[in-house]
Amino acid sequence: MIDKMKVSSKQVTIDAGEFIRRYRDVDRIRAFCLQCPGYGKSWSCPPFDFDPVTVTDGFKTVTVMGTTIEFDAQTRAACTTADQSRVKSREAINQVMKTLLPQLYEQERQTPGSRCFTFRCELCPEGCTRPQGKPCRHPDKMRHSLESVGFDLVAVMHDLLGIDLEWSTDGSLPKHITLVTALFTK
Ligand code: SF4
């Protein structure tokens, strides 16, 4: 159960070329991806068999959204182990994604030529096919995250939406988690 959390969102629309110039640094961000245990385990994550800069070719504008989940002090205090914090974070993220993802896909559907960027793909309940070396089951539905194609989300959120991303380094539940999504349009 998700007991006490507050969800808020902010968004901004800017020129796609400016966004790419200011915030894309594929090699630097790839170094962070390499440290992730999920590296190479989903078709939505690097390494790719294509140049990731090409996925944002031809777009004029981008709307970047930050959806922030805030936990209250009681909920945070109740998470006394790293496992509990992980479970609580995951529950909260899953709950928010249930609404957020369909909205984003719907925005994309209603905006011809647009493409949304979400999170590491979890469309298949039975798990991604990549570890078995099999092709993606839903290449038409799978979307990449902004970080997987080289965008610096810390800088994007700080500069454009005034949100400082937070991570726990000691196993505690962070005060807030921000989910970053985007819609590139032509
Ligand atoms: S749609 Fe399924 S197979 Fe494709 S990337 Fe997502 S989880 Fe993996």
Side-chain angles (χ1 to χ4, degrees):
M1 278 292 289
I2 309 300
D3 30 17
K4 293 181 184 149
M5 64 178 198
K6 196 170 107 192
V7 180
S8 57
S9 58
K10 288 182 177 181
Q11 69 176 53
V12 64
T13 299
I14 72 165
D15 177 80
E18 182 189 345
F19 182 74
I20 290 165
R21 270 192 307 280
R22 286 173 66 184
Y23 299 114
R24 186 162 64 200
D25 186 342
V26 173
D27 292 338
R28 187 167 63 81
I29 301 304
R30 178 67 46 78
F32 294 110
C33 290
L34 280 165
Q35 295 168 34
C36 173
Y39 183 82
K41 293 187 179 153
S42 162
W43 290 115
S44 65
C45 293
F48 299 121
D49 60 0
F50 58 89
D51 184 345
V53 306
T54 59
V55 297
T56 52
D57 280 352
F59 293 105
K60 285 203 173 79
T61 56
V62 54
T63 299
V64 184
M65 292 153 272
T67 303
T68 299
I69 303 166
E70 246 178 278
F71 299 103
D72 71 341
Q74 203 184 345
T75 304
R76 294 180 63 226
C79 292
T80 55
T81 66
D83 273 351
Q84 287 172 347
S85 300
R86 241 190 319 274
V87 169
K88 184 63 73 181
S89 302
R90 194 63 234 185
E91 282 176 350
I93 291 168
N94 286 348
Q95 180 163 314
V96 171
M97 276 172 47
K98 263 189 219 160
T99 312
L100 185 60
L101 280 180
Q103 281 174 349
L104 203 55
Y105 278 95
E106 182 57 20
Q107 281 179 329
E108 188 192 79
R109 200 185 64 77
Q110 289 185 4
T111 315
S114 67
R115 186 163 185 96
C116 65
F117 288 76
T118 59
F119 316 102
R120 186 169 71 162
C121 182
E122 294 181 356
L123 281 177
C124 299
E126 62 274 58
C128 189
T129 52
R130 189 167 186 176
Q132 289 95 53
K134 294 183 181 160
C136 174
R137 293 185 188 95
H138 307 290
D140 53 328
K141 291 190 190 143
M142 183 271 281
R143 293 291 178 269
H144 299 97
S145 64
L146 282 177
E147 66 267 37
S148 75
V149 292
F151 286 97
D152 180 347
L153 299 191
V154 172
V156 167
M157 285 292 104
H158 176 82
D159 295 356
L160 300 182
L161 293 177
I163 295 172
D164 288 319
L165 298 184
E166 196 186 324
W167 287 273
S168 168
T169 51
D170 59 4
S172 61
L173 188 66
K175 279 189 193 142
H176 56 82
I177 297 169
T178 299
L179 307 177
V180 184
T181 53
L183 184 73
F184 280 74
T185 53
K186 294 202 167 168

